[in-house]
Amino acid sequence: MKSNKIYLNIITLLCIALLGIACEKKYEGKSSLESVKYNSNNSTYTAIELDSTKARNNILQIKLQELYDLSTNYAAGNKDTDIDETLYKQIGLYFEKPDTLLINNFIKELDSLKARYVKISDVSSSKEFTPKDTLDYTKYKVDYFDVSKKFLGSIDKFAHYTLKELPTSEQKVKGAFKFYFTDFKAPQKDSIPSGVTK
């Protein structure tokens, strides 16, 4: 009877250990220099393609993943080689105005987290209407992974983006638009400490 309990305990521990190993989140995408070398934000979209929210969210997810893949490859490099210079220029193509401060802060965040891989998910877009303009935002989740592809954590982020109509001379299709990011933020924290109410 006692030996049955020991076997049962051993089997239970093995099952728990196997379940823990199976549930560990690992990066399964591709983010190498070979896979990102052609990322350059050259794709354009027509108004019809951007008409549905689902299509816009899918395009945003692709653009965000491309940008983060370029940035993690840049952050992992020495930042002083020809390859790094090319990656930096490619990153700049995703921004409306390639501001070095904005790009460097974006890369510094990845560097500080020691993130070598990222996975973008839960992308949703929204609009904010002001008297002068309509502002486009996207909310998304970033899963961070280290060099051994182990999960580091995740953060919900916001990005402000714009759609710019290409000049007529550059359009392959009439009314073609291009996505550009203008700012990246983490969600703002509530200013009231938790547990404090009046």
Side-chain angles (χ1 to χ4, degrees), residues 141-174:
K141 179 179 168 188
V142 184
D143 291 333
Y144 296 97
F145 300 87
D146 67 10
V147 70
S148 60
K149 299 185 178 183
K150 284 188 177 179
F151 181 68
L152 295 171
S154 60
I155 298 175
D156 290 328
K157 304 270 293 183
F158 288 97
H160 178 216
Y161 68 94
T162 60
L163 295 168
K164 293 283 183 180
E165 188 170 6
L166 291 176
T168 309
S169 60
E170 294 180 30
Q171 290 184 12
K172 295 176 185 173
V173 179
K174 187 178 181 185

Side-chain angles (χ1 to χ4, degrees), residues 77-113:
N78 297 329
K79 300 173 186 70
D80 63 355
T81 65
D82 289 341
I83 292 171
D84 295 325
E85 187 179 320
T86 302
L87 286 171
Y88 194 86
K89 286 179 184 175
Q90 286 175 274
I91 292 166
L93 295 172
Y94 286 83
F95 291 91
E96 182 181 21
K97 296 174 186 156
D99 176 11
T100 55
L101 183 62
L102 180 64
I103 294 170
N104 288 343
N105 286 340
F106 184 76
I107 293 167
K108 188 192 288 185
E109 178 187 336
L110 295 170
D111 229 358
S112 69
L113 294 169

Side-chain angles (χ1 to χ4, degrees), residues 1-194:
M1 188 72 156
K2 194 173 187 177
S3 64
N4 285 344
K5 280 188 174 182
I6 293 172
Y7 287 127
L8 185 60
N9 286 340
I10 291 172
I11 290 172
T12 304
L13 287 174
L14 283 172
C15 288
I16 291 171
L18 287 173
L19 184 63
I21 292 170
C23 291
E24 188 176 312
K25 202 173 190 179
K26 286 232 175 207
Y27 180 76
E28 296 179 7
K30 294 180 182 177
S31 177
S32 66
L33 286 175
E34 194 61 35
S35 66
V36 301
K37 70 181 178 183
Y38 299 113
N39 292 359
S40 60
N41 197 28
N42 282 333
S43 303
T44 59
Y45 306 92
T46 64
I48 294 169
E49 290 173 306
L50 299 171
D51 194 31
S52 81
T53 303
K54 185 176 180 181
R56 188 177 287 218
N57 291 344
N58 286 338
I59 293 167
L60 281 165
Q61 183 164 352
I62 291 166
K63 294 294 181 188
L64 286 164
Q65 189 67 56
E66 287 175 358
L67 177 60
Y68 273 93
D69 287 347
L70 284 167
S71 300
T72 54
N73 276 283
Y74 179 81
N78 297 329
K79 300 173 186 70
D80 63 355
T81 65
D82 289 341
I83 292 171
D84 295 325
E85 187 179 320
T86 302
L87 286 171
Y88 194 86
K89 286 179 184 175
Q90 286 175 274
I91 292 166
L93 295 172
Y94 286 83
F95 291 91
E96 182 181 21
K97 296 174 186 156
D99 176 11
T100 55
L101 183 62
L102 180 64
I103 294 170
N104 288 343
N105 286 340
F106 184 76
I107 293 167
K108 188 192 288 185
E109 178 187 336
L110 295 170
D111 229 358
S112 69
L113 294 169
K114 303 289 185 230
R116 179 62 179 86
Y117 303 97
V118 297
K119 182 175 184 271
I120 305 298
S121 61
D122 302 335
V123 177
S124 63
S125 56
S126 62
K127 293 182 181 295
E128 183 179 312
F129 299 99
T130 66
K132 294 183 178 181
D133 202 0
T134 301
L135 306 173
D136 292 305
Y137 290 96
T138 183
K139 181 182 176 191
Y140 59 99
K141 179 179 168 188
V142 184
D143 291 333
Y144 296 97
F145 300 87
D146 67 10
V147 70
S148 60
K149 299 185 178 183
K150 284 188 177 179
F151 181 68
L152 295 171
S154 60
I155 298 175
D156 290 328
K157 304 270 293 183
F158 288 97
H160 178 216
Y161 68 94
T162 60
L163 295 168
K164 293 283 183 180
E165 188 170 6
L166 291 176
T168 309
S169 60
E170 294 180 30
Q171 290 184 12
K172 295 176 185 173
V173 179
K174 187 178 181 185
F177 290 88
K178 204 169 186 182
F179 274 84
Y180 292 102
F181 296 103
T182 58
D183 195 16
F184 286 85
K185 304 175 193 176
Q188 292 190 358
K189 302 274 187 222
D190 191 346
S191 61
I192 301 171
S194 68

